[in-house]
Amino acid sequence: MIDLAKLLATEFNVSQADLDKAKSYQSRYDGRLEQILVNMGCLTEDDLAPLYSQLLGYPLFAPDDFANWQIPDSIELTILQELKALDCLLVTGSDSEWLLACKDPLSLALAQYIQQHDVDVKIQVATESQLQTFFYEIQSISESNIEDEELTGDEEARLRELASEAPTVNLLNSLITKALARGASDMHLEPHQGRFRVRYRIDGVLHEVDKLAPKMQLPITTRLKILSGMDIAEKRRPQDGKIELRIANQELDIRVSALPLNDGESIVLRFLLKDSIRYDMSVLGLSNDTQSLIQQDLRKTTGVILLTGPTGSGKTTTLYTFLNELNRPDVKIITLEDPVEYQLEGVNQVQVNNDIGFNFAAGLRSIVRQDPDIIMVGEIRDAETARIALQSALTGHLVFSTVHTNDAASAYTRLLDLGVEEFLLNAALVSVVAQRLARRLCQHCAAPADDVAELLANYPIEQVAKNAGLELNIKQAVGCEHCNHSGFKGRIAINEYLRCDDEIKQLPKNDQFIAKAQAHNAQLKRRNLMQDGLYKVITGVTTIDEVLRVAG
């Protein structure tokens, strides 16, 4: 018999201190050790299936093998419902033999039930989320398969009833818990090839984790709409909502977006853990020389510092980090955001509301009358916002903002396209920082790269190393339990820095400007995005594939 405590320590990374604490609780109040550890947050519900599999020697349930599952012909519906109450699914069955997928194979109630029916039983171990789709099939059959389009008159009441039923509630809770345990920033629920696909975005990359039965689409969508304050009867227009939760002593905001598709609705949940982000320069992963240049800019009292990059490139987090560096009792900071995602202590944060005409431009006009020292504008989207932001810098304010461009020099052409005068750009801009986010190699399993010679032949790695005075330390992803066997854990910023110095100001802002600005940066041995990515490859922080994915 395998020792449970030893298995928990060696295979599931439960510390000795947590084990001792759980055993102490067990001795006083009884209960099973693994369940106590789940309640303590040391294990997740999804850890239990592989734990029981290794402990008892039962195989793991594979839902994809039973995608077209049907109720066995010789089995009464009441038996399936009774097993469902025990968190068990009858995968296949006859009068004398059952194959069960169980959430808890150690359940005393399950053992007694099997004994009453006098059948040979084979057991597979499953997670709750794996079972819920099948449970919903059983429930749908027992309720005469009422279809969505048949709901009339009291349709809303029926929708609310579907959304509050145990299989729906348990499945959604399980999906959210699993997403948080894996460190997902977003969860995507969308119709796909006749199923309801579940994907998590982890470190910027989407991973498919589940395919739910089509009949789960309506209950799950409805429950999310109820929780986030959306209109459950509206299926033709996009909607947005918000859910506030407290999980494991952590405050969690979930931004929910619903988008109508041809075959249903796509629901995206964005998880905002209020206590999980550290606004610290060291966490960003800026290269030492780039960080030194930015620190010089942050000491200025006037001017505009811009962050550029696509959606999801970490611009807001970087701006928050800059503000955190400057946040002191003798400095007044006001931000204008859409929406305010994270609260910064000591900072006055304002949310725009386009429905009442309170946009970035209107907000900026109000902010400058509040006598701030530092202003952050979430995004420059139009000529009026750009003009007011730049003029505010000329009247004694340090202004931070973002624009959507591919590189640093393109910020000039973007602002010119918006109608900003060239003299205003030359007078107000301090620097522009372009940014991307690449996945960071897992520190526990990264190993020296096997293809160093090939990389040196195909990319200017040696030149970047020489310019930066670095030794080669190129690594590759491996995968371990700490990183869900992906080889990556967390993300790191890749940056291009452009200081708006005298040479940049003197360059004509015509169609040759971008090339000349890049050449000027190269003369100063400042790296572009690709080269800064190679810098991170040389230092063993990420891989060339990641750099090419985000900056190639």
Side-chain angles (χ1 to χ4, degrees), residues 20 34 370 482:
D20 291 343
E34 73 277 9
Q370 288 279 312
H482 296 281

Side-chain angles (χ1 to χ4, degrees), residues 299-474:
R299 287 195 284 270
K300 294 184 180 296
T301 57
T302 62
V304 177
I305 297 174
L306 289 178
L307 263 289
T308 80
T311 301
S313 59
K315 299 187 298 294
T316 302
T317 299
T318 299
L319 285 183
Y320 278 3
T321 303
F322 293 170
L323 294 181
N324 200 46
E325 286 277 309
L326 302 169
N327 191 5
R328 303 186 305 271
D330 60 332
V331 174
K332 178 161 186 174
I333 303 174
I334 304 180
T335 72
L336 192 61
E337 304 172 60
D338 182 22
V340 175
E341 293 185 348
Y342 293 100
Q343 294 291 334
L344 293 174
E345 188 176 348
V347 175
N348 300 285
Q349 293 173 269
V350 181
Q351 181 158 323
V352 301
N353 188 342
N354 292 308
D355 293 340
I356 60 172
F358 186 63
N359 55 21
F360 280 119
L364 258 177
R365 284 194 293 270
S366 301
I367 281 176
V368 294
R369 292 194 287 270
Q370 288 279 312
D371 189 31
D373 299 293
I374 298 170
I375 299 170
M376 186 193 103
V377 184
E379 184 183 343
I380 292 178
R381 298 174 180 170
D382 55 73
E384 188 178 9
T385 304
R387 195 170 291 111
I388 297 172
L390 293 165
Q391 288 171 347
S392 299
L394 299 180
T395 56
H397 303 95
L398 183 59
V399 180
F400 296 91
S401 192
T402 71
V403 290
H404 287 283
T405 63
N406 287 329
D407 54 35
S410 297
Y412 274 89
T413 56
R414 171 64 178 152
L415 293 173
L416 288 169
D417 288 343
L418 287 176
V420 178
E421 296 86 350
E422 186 175 328
F423 79 88
L424 194 53
L425 291 178
N426 289 333
L429 284 180
V430 172
S431 60
V432 185
V433 182
Q435 180 166 299
R436 302 289 189 276
L437 290 178
R439 290 186 294 172
R440 186 194 294 262
L441 281 167
C442 175
Q443 296 179 356
H444 293 91
C445 63
D450 298 329
D451 57 349
V452 174
E454 182 181 340
L455 295 177
L456 295 180
N458 292 327
Y459 303 98
I461 290 175
E462 290 177 300
Q463 186 60 48
V464 173
K466 181 180 177 182
N467 289 344
L470 297 173
E471 295 289 332
L472 296 184
N473 183 29
I474 302 174

Side-chain angles (χ1 to χ4, degrees), residues 119 180 196 223 232 238 412 450 483:
V119 291
L180 295 175
F196 198 36
R223 177 154 187 81
I232 65 172
Y412 274 89
D450 298 329
C483 57

